[in-house]
Amino acid sequence: MTTIDLNCDLGESFGPWVMGNDEAMIELATSVNIACGLHAGDADIMRKTVDLAKARGVSIGAHPGYRDLHGFGRRPVPGLKASEIENLVAYQIGALQAIATAAGHKVTHVKAHGALSNVACEDDMTAHAIANGIKAVDRNLVFVVLANSRLVQAGEKANLPMVHEVFADRAYEDDGSLVSRRKPGAVLHDARQISERVVRMLQDGEVASVTGKRIKMRIDTVCIHGDTPGAVEIARVLRNALADAAIAVAPFKRAV
Amino acid sequence: MTTIDLNCDLGESFGPWVMGNDEAMIELATSVNIACGLHAGDADIMRKTVDLAKARGVSIGAHPGYRDLHGFGRRPVPGLKASEIENLVAYQIGALQAIATAAGHKVTHVKAHGALSNVACEDDMTAHAIANGIKAVDRNLVFVVLANSRLVQAGEKANLPMVHEVFADRAYEDDGSLVSRRKPGAVLHDARQISERVVRMLQDGEVASVTGKRIKMRIDTVCIHGDTPGAVEIARVLRNALADAAIAVAPFKRAV
Amino acid sequence: MTTIDLNCDLGESFGPWVMGNDEAMIELATSVNIACGLHAGDADIMRKTVDLAKARGVSIGAHPGYRDLHGFGRRPVPGLKASEIENLVAYQIGALQAIATAAGHKVTHVKAHGALSNVACEDDMTAHAIANGIKAVDRNLVFVVLANSRLVQAGEKANLPMVHEVFADRAYEDDGSLVSRRKPGAVLHDARQISERVVRMLQDGEVASVTGKRIKMRIDTVCIHGDTPGAVEIARVLRNALADAAIAVAPFKRAV
Amino acid sequence: MTTIDLNCDLGESFGPWVMGNDEAMIELATSVNIACGLHAGDADIMRKTVDLAKARGVSIGAHPGYRDLHGFGRRPVPGLKASEIENLVAYQIGALQAIATAAGHKVTHVKAHGALSNVACEDDMTAHAIANGIKAVDRNLVFVVLANSRLVQAGEKANLPMVHEVFADRAYEDDGSLVSRRKPGAVLHDARQISERVVRMLQDGEVASVTGKRIKMRIDTVCIHGDTPGAVEIARVLRNALADAAIAVAPFKRAV
């Protein structure tokens, strides 16, 4: 029986401002990526999110982004040097590790957020700097990489354990990259369509591009979004579809 | 022969804005307290400061403060709950630990910054929350406490290793507390006067208050400031005076 | 026929984080107080809120708060000098004035936000500094003051036009001050109870305290909250109750 | 006799962090561009800088930048829409206008800061958005534009009064653009060389590029930097050289 991890970005509120529905999403995910205070989240929200994850038996990872609160880490910060990206990543991982230790839980993975991830998928310097920042803190941290992106090579070079990720609700180009959010059809919204697509991806080990091209991919985890309209409903339908297809969900195992 | 630690707050620049003269002060201190990004410092400045300390063989500690960049952590943030202070402290320690690990160095102590320290010296809730925040991250971290303050009891209750601190350039009240910076004479500026005072403190195990009262204190470390005019010169004169008095300087040992 | 203004705090989102339901509340208020970027809001949200107000024919005012984004301006910032509070207030008014000019609308009033208002209601220095900050920018700006608070004297001394405000959903102490939010019963939640209370206040020119004491107050505007659960429903019920009592709603006139 | 304006960026400190030597530079400049709190400066520093300028009879302008405190506005913020840039500019102008009004002074010009200016010099959308943001606040504000850049056309289209600027200490490409700071030789440091260069520029109405090509330019103001090493000395030498060449210095007149 196939087993898949469902990962979700959580802890993206800030001070009194709420984003997403963390309580509902944590019931549906098997691992969560927690914002670390530079593009979203703060020490209290991190702690609350870690507590939620611990209570639910869900794996936690750091979700480092650019230092860009106002832009929610969705805008590239141009001109950073590799060492600056490494420091940025290390800082955020460490902050979450300490909060997790205080809560009696443990950070097991790292996934880059927003623009930091998008830039790294196409820019080797950024991809390697992220991988090096993770490795410099703890070489046993699992690096969650977008399947088929430059993050894969960066993780391999740093010799980090990796899990390969696909997006449940995003369209893919023929080269296996994500369709830019600025293009129409980049994000899928229909719960049934998303669910069928994910089940097929997992059964076939392939992703269908916007032109219908089938792209082989290693798939260890599926990203489900928590901050879009209907997110909770989509995740519920997906969980049911996976169960119907006899695909179990569980936190990813450490992988090479 | 007596040995004393000289601790100094470093890494208090922010982005392109420089504060203090870290390169000069690190030559004169034996342990440094590094700002962790919420009231001063950032991931790059933290890394640079850790690298400096490592190269010079100087111990490093986290210097957590209130989340208050504009006020440099010198203004109390009223109304925080104990759990919020614990999270604040844990977050900052963890961020520095990861940066230190990446640099091949190790965080050995924690000292509260500015208003967080001042409030804690008189407020049990805050003092205990700081101690609990440290303990929750790592019970082997040394807690640097102002001698004679409520931080001492908080550290004892949390069973943290502690070192007791006096200030080289601050006047003391009869009850052993620091004279408020808002009162005249709170801060000493004469290098010779400061040096003679510190030597006498260490030889006698006593601090003289503003009225001449002599107060017994355990003294493990002396705080030297790096951000006041003449700071470097004061520290140099003090180092010479200690040498003349046959008092050695070295990072503090782990103490109970 | 009596006429009353209903004022509401709007524009309290930040970047991608949404607070309140501005589109619904602006249909129910006759004047709005707009956050100016230091405790909530940003230039884009300010513009969007001004555009909404203009389209609906609603008066706009600046809603300056402490520089405290993370705490949403609900925590006092201790230690500010009068000149610093004046600068803080002037800065925020000016920022909104320029945005309003660009949108073809005009800032007509100023109301202090959160902790800045709470502190000023009891602290003369802060109250006068707010009034002086407003006057220094434009002596024709209407100062919205909590009825019976120290803001009234501050506004009188600065010779600013003033409107006196009561809160629809807050309980009052016998001295006419608001019951602290930390006490039970400080905030009323029942739409019908709130509405009846407001109608009676306006008919009698009196507010009933928690002990039943009746306190005479000049009432020019009633504050309705937009960020509490049920806020929109409460405001709708109140509007109906006012109509039933033949009390018209309209933006306040300039008053002395 | 020729008259020239010398403009300088001031008020770039933040909270307790000092940048530049404003007291010295204001003695040497005839107009100053004041940071407005989003990339540097705060309400108190703005007020202090306005007071300094007023006491010295120096013109003041707003110096709006991207919302990027940590990067000091020197990094582009990609992806902003024209309306967002207009709001950003309007917000900052208004904040300074109110502070200036409170201080009894008046904002007469606007000059874009750092990356916002650099991007606008090559990107029509950004250039027009800046001009439109200024115009929307006050069509009488003088727009300080880099000579030969796209800012000129943007200012013309918005029908704003303009003054054309050259940099005293920057090298120029053959097309009249500034040599990127990332290239060697982009910034000149020798006071005598800078002074001779500026005198020649003003006498000839031409700038010599790095290859020796002479480029005709209208020159109404010369930017002198205050935050580089030796800035004060360079400005003093330049003032003397201008006096020797019988070129008077004075705030620019309003120009079309």
Side-chain angles (χ1 to χ4, degrees):
Chain A
M1 186 181 179
T2 313
T3 299
I4 191 69
D5 175 64
L6 299 180
N7 81 78
C8 183
D9 305 341
L10 288 201
E12 295 184 329
S13 295
F14 177 72
W17 288 276
V18 175
M19 185 173 292
N21 186 342
D22 287 12
E23 280 78 6
M25 290 307 293
I26 208 148
E27 299 291 322
L28 299 162
T30 49
S31 71
V32 294
N33 319 304
I34 302 176
C36 298
L38 296 198
H39 68 270
D42 57 37
D44 302 321
I45 292 165
M46 288 160 76
R47 175 62 191 259
K48 193 180 156 196
T49 312
V50 169
D51 285 343
L52 266 179
K54 193 188 173 200
R56 174 92 176 100
V58 167
S59 294
I60 59 172
H63 197 37
Y66 284 120
R67 180 189 183 108
D68 167 28
L69 183 69
H70 186 248
F72 188 49
R74 289 215 169 128
R75 300 188 291 231
V77 175
L80 294 185
K81 289 179 287 190
S83 61
E84 293 172 323
I85 295 169
E86 291 176 33
N87 294 338
L88 191 73
V89 168
Y91 180 99
Q92 296 181 63
I93 295 172
L96 184 65
Q97 284 179 321
I99 296 283
T101 299
H105 206 7
K106 193 170 165 24
V107 176
T108 49
H109 69 276
V110 180
K111 173 180 161 182
H113 167 83
L116 181 61
S117 177
N118 295 343
V119 169
C121 285
E122 302 188 350
D123 175 53
D124 283 332
M125 185 277 277
T126 302
H128 287 286
I130 295 170
N132 290 338
I134 297 169
K135 187 185 184 180
V137 176
D138 181 351
R139 62 179 60 241
N140 293 313
L141 286 165
V142 174
F143 188 20
V144 177
V145 293
L146 185 67
N148 259 27
S149 75
R150 281 163 195 260
L151 289 168
V152 178
Q153 284 76 43
E156 281 168 356
K157 196 171 171 205
N159 206 23
L160 286 168
M162 281 193 285
V163 302
H164 294 232
E165 174 190 46
V166 293
F167 280 78
D169 62 355
R170 294 289 299 274
Y172 280 77
E173 300 284 2
D174 279 2
D175 65 356
S177 66
L178 297 173
V179 173
S180 163
R181 277 175 187 271
R182 277 164 298 190
K183 292 192 190 170
V187 181
L188 312 180
H189 298 288
D190 183 76
R192 180 182 295 255
Q193 182 195 2
I194 291 170
S195 301
E196 287 173 0
R197 176 177 167 81
V198 170
V199 168
R200 230 173 313 128
M201 281 182 189
L202 297 176
Q203 288 172 335
D204 302 347
E206 287 180 352
V207 171
S209 79
V210 281
T211 69
K213 190 181 159 192
R214 305 184 70 81
I215 309 153
K216 278 272 166 219
M217 284 192 195
R218 170 177 156 195
I219 306 176
D220 303 311
T221 183
V222 175
C223 181
I224 56 176
H225 282 114
D227 59 348
T228 51
V232 175
E233 180 57 17
I234 290 170
R236 282 201 187 113
V237 172
L238 173 59
R239 287 283 296 244
N240 289 337
L242 291 171
D244 291 349
I247 299 173
V249 296
F252 51 75
K253 299 291 180 303
R254 207 197 122 160
V256 182
Chain B
M1 185 178 178
T2 313
T3 299
I4 192 71
D5 175 63
L6 299 180
N7 81 77
C8 184
D9 305 342
L10 288 201
E12 295 183 329
S13 295
F14 178 72
W17 289 276
V18 175
M19 186 172 292
N21 186 341
D22 286 13
E23 280 78 6
M25 290 307 293
I26 208 147
E27 298 292 320
L28 299 161
T30 50
S31 71
V32 294
N33 318 304
I34 301 176
C36 299
L38 296 199
H39 68 270
D42 58 36
D44 302 319
I45 292 166
M46 288 161 75
R47 176 61 192 260
K48 192 180 157 197
T49 311
V50 170
D51 285 343
L52 266 179
K54 193 188 173 202
R56 173 91 177 99
V58 167
S59 294
I60 58 171
H63 197 37
Y66 285 119
R67 181 187 184 110
D68 168 27
L69 183 69
H70 186 248
F72 188 48
R74 289 217 168 126
R75 299 187 293 229
V77 175
L80 295 185
K81 289 180 286 188
S83 61
E84 292 172 322
I85 295 169
E86 291 176 31
N87 294 339
L88 191 71
V89 168
Y91 180 98
Q92 296 182 63
I93 295 172
L96 184 65
Q97 284 180 321
I99 295 282
T101 299
H105 206 7
K106 193 173 165 23
V107 175
T108 49
H109 69 274
V110 179
K111 174 180 160 181
H113 167 84
L116 181 61
S117 177
N118 295 343
V119 169
C121 285
E122 302 187 351
D123 176 53
D124 282 333
M125 185 278 274
T126 303
H128 287 288
I130 295 171
N132 289 338
I134 298 170
K135 187 183 183 180
V137 177
D138 181 352
R139 61 180 60 241
N140 293 313
L141 285 166
V142 174
F143 188 19
V144 177
V145 293
L146 185 67
N148 259 27
S149 76
R150 280 165 195 259
L151 289 167
V152 178
Q153 284 76 44
E156 282 169 354
K157 196 171 170 205
N159 206 22
L160 285 169
M162 282 194 282
V163 301
H164 294 233
E165 173 192 48
V166 293
F167 280 77
D169 64 353
R170 294 290 298 273
Y172 280 79
E173 300 284 2
D174 279 3
D175 65 356
S177 67
L178 295 173
V179 172
S180 163
R181 277 175 187 268
R182 276 163 299 191
K183 291 191 189 172
V187 181
L188 311 181
H189 298 287
D190 183 78
R192 180 182 296 254
Q193 184 195 1
I194 290 170
S195 300
E196 287 174 357
R197 178 179 164 80
V198 170
V199 169
R200 229 173 315 128
M201 281 181 188
L202 297 176
Q203 288 173 334
D204 302 347
E206 288 180 351
V207 171
S209 80
V210 281
T211 69
K213 190 181 160 190
R214 305 184 70 81
I215 308 153
K216 278 272 164 224
M217 283 192 193
R218 171 178 155 194
I219 306 176
D220 302 312
T221 182
V222 175
C223 180
I224 56 175
H225 282 114
D227 60 346
T228 52
V232 175
E233 179 58 16
I234 290 170
R236 282 201 186 112
V237 171
L238 173 60
R239 287 285 296 246
N240 289 338
L242 291 171
D244 291 348
I247 300 171
V249 297
F252 52 75
K253 300 289 180 303
R254 204 196 125 165
V256 182
Chain C
M1 186 179 180
T2 312
T3 299
I4 191 70
D5 174 65
L6 299 180
N7 81 78
C8 184
D9 305 342
L10 288 202
E12 295 183 328
S13 296
F14 177 73
W17 288 277
V18 175
M19 186 172 290
N21 186 341
D22 287 13
E23 279 78 6
M25 289 308 292
I26 208 147
E27 299 292 321
L28 299 161
T30 50
S31 71
V32 294
N33 320 303
I34 301 176
C36 298
L38 296 199
H39 68 270
D42 58 37
D44 302 319
I45 292 165
M46 288 160 75
R47 175 63 191 258
K48 191 179 158 196
T49 312
V50 169
D51 285 343
L52 266 179
K54 193 189 172 199
R56 174 88 177 101
V58 167
S59 294
I60 58 171
H63 196 36
Y66 285 119
R67 180 186 183 111
D68 167 28
L69 182 70
H70 185 249
F72 188 48
R74 290 216 168 127
R75 299 187 293 230
V77 176
L80 293 187
K81 289 179 286 191
S83 60
E84 293 173 323
I85 295 169
E86 291 176 30
N87 294 338
L88 191 72
V89 168
Y91 180 98
Q92 295 181 63
I93 295 172
L96 184 65
Q97 284 179 321
I99 295 282
T101 299
H105 206 7
K106 193 172 165 22
V107 176
T108 49
H109 69 276
V110 179
K111 174 181 161 181
H113 167 83
L116 181 61
S117 178
N118 295 343
V119 168
C121 284
E122 301 188 351
D123 176 53
D124 283 332
M125 185 277 276
T126 302
H128 287 286
I130 295 170
N132 289 338
I134 297 169
K135 187 185 183 179
V137 176
D138 182 351
R139 63 180 59 241
N140 293 315
L141 286 166
V142 173
F143 188 19
V144 177
V145 293
L146 185 66
N148 259 29
S149 76
R150 281 164 196 259
L151 289 168
V152 178
Q153 284 76 44
E156 281 169 354
K157 197 170 169 204
N159 207 23
L160 285 169
M162 282 193 284
V163 303
H164 295 232
E165 175 192 47
V166 293
F167 280 78
D169 63 354
R170 293 290 297 276
Y172 280 79
E173 300 283 3
D174 279 3
D175 65 356
S177 66
L178 296 173
V179 172
S180 164
R181 278 176 187 270
R182 276 163 298 191
K183 293 192 189 170
V187 181
L188 313 180
H189 299 287
D190 183 77
R192 179 182 296 254
Q193 182 195 2
I194 291 169
S195 300
E196 287 173 359
R197 176 179 166 80
V198 169
V199 169
R200 230 173 313 128
M201 281 182 189
L202 297 175
Q203 289 172 334
D204 302 347
E206 285 179 352
V207 171
S209 78
V210 282
T211 69
K213 192 182 157 189
R214 305 184 69 80
I215 308 153
K216 278 272 165 221
M217 284 192 194
R218 171 178 155 194
I219 306 176
D220 303 310
T221 183
V222 176
C223 181
I224 55 175
H225 283 114
D227 59 347
T228 51
V232 175
E233 179 58 17
I234 290 170
R236 280 199 189 116
V237 172
L238 173 59
R239 287 283 297 244
N240 288 338
L242 291 170
D244 291 348
I247 300 172
V249 297
F252 51 73
K253 298 292 180 301
R254 207 196 123 167
V256 182
Chain D
M1 186 178 178
T2 313
T3 299
I4 191 70
D5 175 65
L6 299 180
N7 82 78
C8 183
D9 305 342
L10 288 200
E12 295 184 329
S13 295
F14 178 71
W17 288 276
V18 175
M19 185 171 292
N21 185 341
D22 286 11
E23 281 78 6
M25 290 307 293
I26 207 147
E27 298 292 322
L28 299 162
T30 49
S31 72
V32 294
N33 319 304
I34 301 176
C36 298
L38 296 199
H39 68 270
D42 58 36
D44 302 320
I45 292 165
M46 288 161 75
R47 175 61 191 259
K48 192 180 155 196
T49 311
V50 169
D51 285 342
L52 266 179
K54 192 190 174 201
R56 174 90 175 99
V58 168
S59 293
I60 58 171
H63 196 37
Y66 284 120
R67 180 187 184 110
D68 167 27
L69 183 69
H70 185 250
F72 188 47
R74 290 217 169 125
R75 299 188 292 230
V77 175
L80 295 186
K81 288 178 286 190
S83 61
E84 292 172 322
I85 295 169
E86 291 176 30
N87 294 338
L88 191 72
V89 167
Y91 180 99
Q92 295 181 63
I93 295 172
L96 184 65
Q97 284 179 321
I99 296 282
T101 300
H105 206 7
K106 193 170 166 27
V107 175
T108 49
H109 69 275
V110 180
K111 173 180 161 181
H113 166 84
L116 181 60
S117 177
N118 295 343
V119 168
C121 283
E122 302 188 352
D123 175 52
D124 282 334
M125 185 277 276
T126 303
H128 286 287
I130 295 170
N132 289 338
I134 298 169
K135 186 184 183 180
V137 176
D138 182 352
R139 61 179 61 241
N140 293 312
L141 286 165
V142 175
F143 188 19
V144 177
V145 294
L146 185 67
N148 258 28
S149 76
R150 283 168 193 255
L151 289 168
V152 178
Q153 284 76 42
E156 281 169 355
K157 193 167 172 207
N159 206 23
L160 285 169
M162 282 194 284
V163 302
H164 294 232
E165 174 192 46
V166 293
F167 280 77
D169 63 353
R170 293 290 297 274
Y172 280 79
E173 301 284 3
D174 278 2
D175 65 355
S177 68
L178 296 173
V179 172
S180 164
R181 277 175 187 270
R182 276 163 301 191
K183 292 193 189 169
V187 181
L188 311 180
H189 298 289
D190 183 76
R192 181 182 295 254
Q193 183 195 0
I194 291 170
S195 300
E196 287 173 0
R197 176 178 166 79
V198 170
V199 169
R200 230 173 314 128
M201 283 181 188
L202 297 176
Q203 289 172 335
D204 302 347
E206 288 180 352
V207 171
S209 79
V210 282
T211 69
K213 189 180 159 194
R214 305 184 70 81
I215 308 152
K216 278 273 165 220
M217 284 192 193
R218 169 177 157 196
I219 306 176
D220 303 312
T221 183
V222 176
C223 181
I224 55 176
H225 282 114
D227 60 346
T228 51
V232 175
E233 180 56 17
I234 289 170
R236 282 202 186 112
V237 172
L238 173 60
R239 286 285 296 244
N240 289 336
L242 291 171
D244 291 348
I247 299 172
V249 298
F252 51 75
K253 300 293 179 301
R254 210 197 120 164
V256 181

